[in-house]
Amino acid sequence: MAPIEPDPALVDAVRSAQRVVVFSGAGMSAESGVPTFRDALTGLWERFDPMELATPEAWARDPALVWAWYEWRAALVRRVRPNAGHVALADWARATDLTVVTQNVDDLHERAGSTVAAHLHGSLFAPRCSACARPAELDDVRFAGPGHEPAERITPPACVACGAPVRPGTVWFGEDLPAESWRVAVGAAENCDLMVVVGTSGVVYPAAELPVRAVRAGATVVEINPDPTDLTAAVTHSWRATAARALPALAAAAGSGR
Ligand code: BV8
Ligand code: ZN
């Protein structure tokens, strides 16, 4: 596919940016084959609603179901690869002060070479004890290979320190965001001169406040999304494009493309 060109005004903003923040959502990983949060879930999970499963109530009611869902998602992420958008951000960060703040719970930014300053909603790969919060050292071998039969229920492992069930390391609806991650994200949003918002529907709070905080602080904010979103009215530029096509073009415009 022919490369796509950013709008000249956007090229100027990218060229002159000294401090860039990238704020990513599930659409960032879509072209890697990870279903977005609001995509219909597939196969075994299609009759479940993520908004329902990603809650403390679902965990209290049926930990084995919730644990199996996260194991399925973690195994899926282990089987896919970062896309050209993830790689472009890692390239861009080599030439510019660029901070990645993500709502995503996958590790594709890291696997492409980015340092993630804040995982606002936690990570699939940081399970911890539901009682004493001790990080669980689960080996990845549990994400068995292609033959891994997705199971609808898997009893969560027990914490080696206190025996309580290990829980997923993600932030559920109704739970506070990790304080340090939120502090870092707000600081970055309020001190950047360019924010690139990529692959988020902008419906989950408080994360969705970040682009508005950047606009208020005087930054140029560009949204990259094939569809308009709740953030479109608030941003400086809204580019109807996908992450894997638009980010390499922005990184190239910043003069650091491969
Ligand atoms: C909080 C981890 C304080 C889990 C996630 C009632 C009670 C309690 C709280 C609330 C309440 N009512 C409202 C709230 C606040 C609530 C909230 O915002 N609810 C929304 C739904 C209204 N927020 C919270 O609860 C937060 N905590 O407020 O704490 C508090 C405490 C106690 C009581 C009250 C308040 C915690 C929110 C964190 C939830 N956890 N994830 C897990 O993953 O299992 S959020 C979840 O949604 C994902 O992490 C995801 O990142 C996030 C946002 O979704 P998106 O990333 O935007 O993904 P989505 O699918 O929506 O959109 C994808 C976009 O990509 C689309 O626009 C699409 O067009 C685009 N796209 C598609 N393909 C591409 C693409 N773009 C580019 N390229 C492509 N190829
Ligand atoms: Zn414990």
Side-chain angles (χ1 to χ4, degrees):
M1 261 189 279
I4 55 178
E5 288 298 315
D7 173 290
L10 189 43
V11 172
D12 291 345
V14 164
R15 285 235 169 91
S16 57
Q18 301 296 310
R19 286 175 315 290
V20 180
V21 167
V22 174
F23 172 54
S24 64
M28 179 78 226
S29 302
E31 285 152 293
S32 294
V34 181
T36 66
F37 200 71
R38 281 157 190 82
D39 273 347
L41 288 185
T42 53
L44 193 65
W45 299 99
E46 63 192 330
R47 67 177 192 282
F48 291 97
D49 172 7
M51 296 294 294
E52 216 292 297
L53 275 183
T55 62
E57 293 74 22
W59 171 256
R61 192 172 48 248
D62 192 348
L65 177 75
V66 173
W67 183 258
W69 181 50
Y70 279 92
E71 289 289 89
W72 175 75
R73 291 171 66 192
L76 185 149
V77 169
R78 275 281 174 274
R79 287 198 300 272
V80 302
R81 294 167 43 78
N83 61 58
H86 295 104
V87 173
L89 291 181
D91 279 348
W92 191 355
R94 286 189 195 94
T96 307
D97 171 355
L98 186 142
T99 300
V100 175
V101 168
T102 189
Q103 297 173 92
N104 296 342
V105 294
D106 64 49
D107 61 350
L108 296 177
H109 278 302
E110 291 90 337
R111 282 164 55 194
S114 286
T115 302
V116 172
H119 265 279
L120 295 175
H121 299 153
S123 165
L124 289 171
F125 303 103
R128 64 174 188 274
C129 175
S130 56
C132 72
R134 173 194 169 102
E137 304 300 322
L138 299 177
D139 50 11
D140 281 359
V141 77
R142 72 187 199 277
F143 304 128
H148 180 60
E149 276 312 302
E152 184 161 317
R153 301 170 58 72
I154 304 176
T155 305
C159 167
V160 294
C162 77
V166 169
R167 62 160 280 175
T170 58
V171 178
W172 285 327
F173 289 98
E175 292 187 318
D176 282 322
L177 274 55
E180 181 56 11
S181 296
W182 181 241
R183 191 189 64 73
V184 165
V186 169
E190 294 182 343
N191 292 286
C192 66
D193 46 20
L194 175 68
M195 176 180 274
V196 180
V197 180
V198 51
T200 184
S201 56
V203 300
V204 174
Y205 282 83
E209 281 174 26
L210 293 172
V212 173
R213 286 174 179 259
V215 169
R216 283 206 195 112
T220 299
V221 179
V222 56
E223 172 184 47
I224 294 173
N225 197 313
D227 297 334
T229 72
D230 285 7
L231 297 170
T232 301
V235 301
T236 327
H237 305 269
S238 192
W239 188 6
R240 290 288 155 276
T242 69
R245 309 271 326 275
L247 290 173
L250 288 190
S256 64
R258 278 185 174 179

